[in-house]
Amino acid sequence: MKFIRTLPLLFLILTCHSQQEDIKQFQESYSDYFEMSREAVHLHLNKTVYLKGEDIWFSAYLYDINSGEPSKETTNLYCGIYDSEGRQLTKELFHIENGVGSGHFKVDSTLGSGERYIKAGTHWMKNFKKDNAFVQKLTILDNVPLGETEKKTKDRDIQFLPEGGHMVQGLENCIGFRVIDQDGKGIMIKSGQVVDDQGQVVATNLKSNPYGIGKFRFIYGESRKYTAQMELMDGDIIRANLPQAENKGITLTINNLLTNRLPIVVEANKETQPEVRSKNFHLAIHRNGRLTLNTFRFKKGKKTIFIGKDQLLPGINILTLFDDRLNPIAERLFFNKDLNERASVSASVGRPQDLKDSVNIKLKLYSQNHTPTQLSISVLPEESIANSSGRSIFATFLLDPYIKSAVDNPAYYFLGADRKKSFELDNLLLTQGWSSYEWKDIFNGPPKENIVREKGIRIKGKLLNVKYRPNSKLIMSQGTEKGILLADLDGNNEFVLEHLQIFKGDSLNLKLFNKKGRGTKRPKPELVFSPKMENDSLMPIRRVEYADTSEIVLEKPIEFKTVLENNIVELEGVTVTEYKLERKRNGLTVGLTGKKITFEDVQKGPFLRDWVRRFGFKIGYDQKGFEVIKARRAMVPPPIIYIDGQKQISTDPNLWRTPTDRVDEIYYDNWGISVEGGSGGAIHIYMKYGGIVGPELSEKVAKVLITE
């Protein structure tokens, strides 16, 4: 009898242990799937509508989705232009440094005219099912008939998307809706209501945002049918039948408008309650490999869980409901605004009284750690039709990676932080359904690193006309980048150079030195560059409908000027004046010692830090581990640093690692007697504007011009 009574308890213990092992395996699978860091890219374009002869300028920002910081490991960004069918018209490789870069395309006959798309991405992205490449629609104008627009039909439709993914009979359901036109674009409604098959109004006063997105709640009666009818802003009435609800099921709803906490309600209808009473359910809140799991059981068919918003991830959170076997059965995306969030930068715009055509933009940075900041600005007239991107860097990095379908004007949801925008953003996420990461992929194992991160250009070469001699060195200098690199030759006179920054139009100068440091005869190199540029297509075209839905109508001819006075750039009536900082080395005061950097100097000290030490300054580290320059004498402040006349932050970790071959001249005072410096002295650094550091080219130097 004792043995028989022990069986139920033993079975319960074994069941609990098995569930704990399953949960542990589940958490490990989720963590492993996101271990490899993913990248996203955003292009800030100068505009989206172009004329022949103009340039498509852009600033590029590469983002590490896992860390929420600039992606610093990848330096190669591929950017191409594609036609309306997704065929590649042109493609270039652009350099990214510390997550930031820039570039441009010339709008010429190669690109033609009409609807075009620009796409930017990295090869690293190809390791993942969702590559997060940036795609933006462009328009190139050429002989456009003035005042003519294409006449379109008025086909409209209503899409219904229940919160959590399920509409269940007998429960109050929260239903998101989206009203779209024949092109899939959202259109705003004036009002709407939902009626049942007996003519009873069950939901009224329906509203949408400007892009046709809204929501309503009602109790779905058994064996009932429902119809939504909505009045558009132009007075047209459209109707659509709601989908049939499930006879049995569970709903998942949240209220994301509370300030400090998030209520989560999970409810089973009466037909489902007998099946769920004795089972464990799991509620996961997760994103990018970070996951918390709450296990619960239903009490009278309904469970309400409150979670403090300070316990949630800032930005997008994914809420997934799992059954007792850890099968996902419902999901909801929501955006959590960090309670401690503080804008890292604010801007104010003013118009000086003495300059009628000028605008001052003042920026205030809140960083306390001297965080490097990148700013890109596009200036256009307020009423210009030349920009209809509807894009924002916030949407690209904080929203796009987690949703499946395109969003009309995503920048709209991040302009302003009021309660109305928070409500509309929550409705948008409600209508997105499940996130872009599919659980079947997560359970099948993490992605594999089939493609490595690309860091510049790789050259594999061989010298064809010289005999191999031990300890020979090949020196390569670059035309525009002023870099000097040394390569060892193997027994076959072959060499490899990695992570080069080589740009189109650069010239490579190769010279061979023997073990005594003397130049030998001119080498004849055979060079292979990688990676190779690969053609691709934009098929299917996705995430391209971010642009404003307004038609482009030219009411008068556009006057386009390409030749202007020096230092003046005209953008459709907006004038931007560029002021160049001139060097004033002759104006430096007495007490500064000067040094011109030569080829021999580069060989003696390859980095700026090496020469600063030679000048008598000391190198140390601050409390945060940053490399800093200290004064020659003890108990005095560090020297004041200037680069091209501009005062610098001496703790900048990248400053002292600058290659010496990029420095033109250095002036220094290590005793603190010059006017520019303090008691710790001063260092004036002047960078090269062009040319290369090195000996004069001679008959012993092989020249290679990069054309692709």
Side-chain angles (χ1 to χ4, degrees), residues 137-169:
K137 181 180 177 180
L138 309 174
T139 301
I140 298 178
L141 300 179
D142 183 20
N143 298 323
V144 178
L146 301 183
E148 292 187 8
T149 59
E150 181 183 353
K151 295 182 179 179
K152 296 184 177 181
T153 60
K154 286 188 175 182
D155 293 334
R156 280 80 175 264
D157 190 21
I158 308 174
Q159 298 175 340
F160 300 102
L161 303 109
E163 185 170 13
H166 300 280
M167 196 183 305
V168 182
Q169 288 187 5

Side-chain angles (χ1 to χ4, degrees), residues 689-700:
Y689 283 162
I692 63 170
V693 176
E696 294 296 326
L697 299 179
S698 66
E699 69 281 356
K700 296 182 180 181

Side-chain angles (χ1 to χ4, degrees), residues 660-708:
T660 311
D661 57 30
R662 299 187 182 184
V663 177
D664 188 13
E665 297 177 354
I666 304 177
Y667 295 82
Y668 63 95
D669 159 32
N670 56 19
W671 288 106
I673 60 177
S674 63
V675 175
E676 290 87 351
S679 59
I683 304 175
H684 289 261
I685 303 166
Y686 291 94
M687 309 301 290
K688 271 192 159 297
Y689 283 162
I692 63 170
V693 176
E696 294 296 326
L697 299 179
S698 66
E699 69 281 356
K700 296 182 180 181
V701 178
K703 302 179 183 179
V704 180
L705 179 64
I706 310 302
T707 59
E708 295 184 357

Side-chain angles (χ1 to χ4, degrees), residues 15 33 258 315 336 368 495 675:
T15 301
Y33 187 78
L258 299 183
N336 178 42
Q368 299 179 358
F495 62 93
V675 175

Side-chain angles (χ1 to χ4, degrees), residues 122 125 149 213 279 345 370 616 622:
T122 66
M125 293 178 178
T149 59
I213 293 177
K279 295 180 179 179
V345 60
H370 304 299
D622 63 9

Side-chain angles (χ1 to χ4, degrees), residues 98-387:
N98 293 324
V100 179
S102 62
H104 76 285
F105 290 96
K106 191 72 176 178
V107 180
D108 54 21
S109 58
T110 303
L111 303 185
S113 62
E115 184 182 279
R116 297 291 181 263
Y117 298 89
I118 185 169
K119 174 186 175 183
T122 66
H123 277 182
W124 175 258
M125 293 178 178
K126 295 181 179 181
N127 287 311
F128 309 97
K129 184 176 180 179
K130 182 178 174 62
D131 63 10
N132 294 312
F134 178 94
V135 180
Q136 171 68 55
K137 181 180 177 180
L138 309 174
T139 301
I140 298 178
L141 300 179
D142 183 20
N143 298 323
V144 178
L146 301 183
E148 292 187 8
T149 59
E150 181 183 353
K151 295 182 179 179
K152 296 184 177 181
T153 60
K154 286 188 175 182
D155 293 334
R156 280 80 175 264
D157 190 21
I158 308 174
Q159 298 175 340
F160 300 102
L161 303 109
E163 185 170 13
H166 300 280
M167 196 183 305
V168 182
Q169 288 187 5
L171 299 178
E172 183 181 56
N173 292 263
C174 180
I175 311 298
F177 67 86
R178 183 172 182 241
V179 183
I180 59 174
D181 63 14
Q182 66 282 345
D183 296 323
K185 291 284 190 178
I187 51 178
M188 188 174 185
I189 69 168
K190 185 177 181 179
S191 64
Q193 63 180 11
V194 178
V195 298
D196 63 14
D197 50 6
Q198 297 179 356
Q200 184 73 26
V201 177
V202 297
T204 187
N205 197 29
L206 274 60
K207 301 291 184 181
S208 80
N209 72 352
Y211 304 99
I213 293 177
K215 69 178 179 181
F216 58 89
R217 294 175 180 271
F218 78 109
I219 298 177
Y220 204 115
E222 297 181 7
S223 303
R224 285 281 190 270
K225 295 181 180 180
Y226 297 88
T227 301
Q229 57 184 35
M230 300 185 183
E231 181 183 359
L232 305 181
M233 302 304 291
D234 60 7
D236 288 353
I237 303 294
I238 60 173
R239 296 176 176 84
N241 295 326
L242 270 68
Q244 184 65 41
E246 302 170 17
N247 295 326
K248 298 170 64 175
I250 298 173
T251 60
L252 172 66
T253 60
I254 67 172
N255 179 3
N256 196 26
L257 293 181
L258 299 183
T259 303
N260 297 314
R261 60 179 184 169
L262 178 77
I264 305 170
V265 179
V266 186
E267 188 172 8
N269 68 353
K270 63 180 181 179
E271 288 79 11
T272 310
Q273 291 177 17
E275 301 177 6
V276 301
R277 282 199 186 101
S278 60
K279 295 180 179 179
N280 287 335
F281 284 78
H282 312 279
L283 196 62
I285 300 178
H286 57 95
R287 191 189 76 208
N288 299 339
R290 287 167 286 186
L291 178 145
T292 59
L293 199 65
N294 298 276
T295 301
F296 68 92
R297 288 191 176 187
F298 282 99
K299 185 177 182 180
K300 297 182 180 180
K302 187 175 182 179
K303 181 68 176 181
T304 302
I305 300 173
F306 292 91
I307 298 179
K309 288 195 171 181
D310 58 346
Q311 302 299 312
L312 301 172
L313 296 168
I316 287 287
N317 285 251
I318 305 171
L319 180 66
T320 309
L321 177 65
F322 297 87
D323 64 14
D324 59 323
R325 297 185 179 182
L326 289 173
N327 296 311
I329 57 177
E331 191 162 277
R332 170 72 149 89
L333 282 72
F334 66 94
F335 195 91
N336 178 42
K337 183 175 176 59
D338 190 353
L339 298 178
N340 299 316
E341 179 184 17
R342 184 180 185 185
S344 59
V345 60
S346 65
S348 59
V349 180
R351 187 181 300 276
Q353 295 180 356
D354 56 337
L355 295 174
K356 295 182 179 180
D357 63 345
S358 298
V359 173
N360 284 343
I361 300 177
K362 296 182 179 180
L363 300 177
K364 184 175 182 180
L365 303 180
Y366 294 97
S367 171
Q368 299 179 358
N369 298 318
H370 304 299
T371 304
T373 303
Q374 173 74 17
L375 175 68
S376 55
I377 298 177
S378 175
V379 183
L380 293 169
E382 185 176 3
E383 302 300 327
S384 174
I385 64 170
N387 186 44

